[in-house]
Amino acid sequence: MYFNPDGTIRRIAMQVKDNFADGNALGWKTYGGTWSVAGGRYRVGRDLGAKSLLDTNFADFTYDADVTVNSGAGDAGLTFRVTKPSVGPDSYSGYYAGISPSGKVVLGRANGSWTELGTARTPVAPGSTHRMRVTAVGSSIKVFVDDMKTPKIAVSDGTYASGANGVRVFNTAASFDDVAIGTAR
């Protein structure tokens, strides 16, 4: 424990990091799909909406991860501010940012159905790894792909204020690595 000069306990900054080098996915809870850890990556076979979440409750944060779309016509990416998760493509309340080999970046929110909030174009080759970042501060949400200075998508949406973070696929197989979630920067 760390203390402030006035004797109170210093607040800790919640952070999560997982590079899957230990060969396991401890702390991750899956909702659909076939998940495994191999070669230092968290992998899921092709599925119409498999999710895997960490038991976190972030409000404002920066979320980084490497995303590789391996096969399929869909997309893969990051879920955040998620509550009420269950098995099914849009069976959660929260946000999702994903990339597709069709060259599309998408940001949307789910609550039993899907609402697209923004799209952009960026080169994404099947089997290539891309660094994704989501920053969420209040209602400001920004999605970055490879270039961490200029967002591909920037929107304002305050529907969901906090919740769990995780990864998701939609009609594709993918792998994830170097997950890092921490205070907004």
Side-chain angles (χ1 to χ4, degrees):
M1 293 176 71
Y2 298 95
F3 294 91
N4 295 314
D6 65 0
T8 58
I9 298 172
R10 185 180 310 162
R11 203 179 159 116
I12 59 169
M14 189 171 173
Q15 294 186 5
V16 173
K17 291 185 179 188
D18 200 341
N19 65 6
F20 306 101
D22 59 4
N24 68 57
L26 292 176
W28 293 83
K29 183 171 181 182
T30 62
Y31 300 87
T34 304
W35 295 85
S36 64
V37 176
R41 299 184 67 81
Y42 195 32
R43 302 172 185 276
V44 62
R46 187 173 178 172
D47 194 272
L48 285 176
K51 297 172 282 301
S52 185
L53 301 174
L54 291 162
D55 185 16
T56 58
N57 190 28
F58 285 100
D60 296 344
F61 58 86
T62 298
Y63 180 1
D64 290 303
D66 291 338
V67 179
T68 306
V69 181
N70 296 320
S71 65
D75 47 68
L78 313 177
T79 59
F80 53 100
R81 294 183 173 171
V82 172
T83 60
K84 301 183 271 181
S86 62
V87 175
D90 299 320
S91 298
Y92 63 102
S93 295
Y95 298 100
Y96 168 74
I99 57 173
S100 168
S102 68
K104 184 178 177 181
V105 181
V106 64
L107 171 65
R109 71 173 179 259
N111 189 13
S113 63
W114 176 253
T115 301
E116 189 173 279
L117 299 174
T119 63
R121 305 295 304 166
T122 198
V124 176
S128 63
T129 299
H130 298 273
R131 188 70 173 167
M132 288 190 71
R133 171 177 289 162
V134 172
T135 60
V137 178
S139 62
S140 172
I141 302 170
K142 295 177 183 174
V143 179
F144 303 80
V145 179
D146 296 325
D147 173 1
M148 299 298 116
K149 294 189 187 299
T150 306
K152 297 289 184 188
I153 300 172
V155 301
S156 181
D157 187 284
T159 305
Y160 305 113
S162 67
N165 296 74
V167 293
R168 176 182 183 252
V169 295
F170 178 75
N171 194 28
T172 193
S175 63
F176 306 89
D177 197 11
D178 294 322
V179 172
I181 309 163
T183 55
R185 52 189 152 140

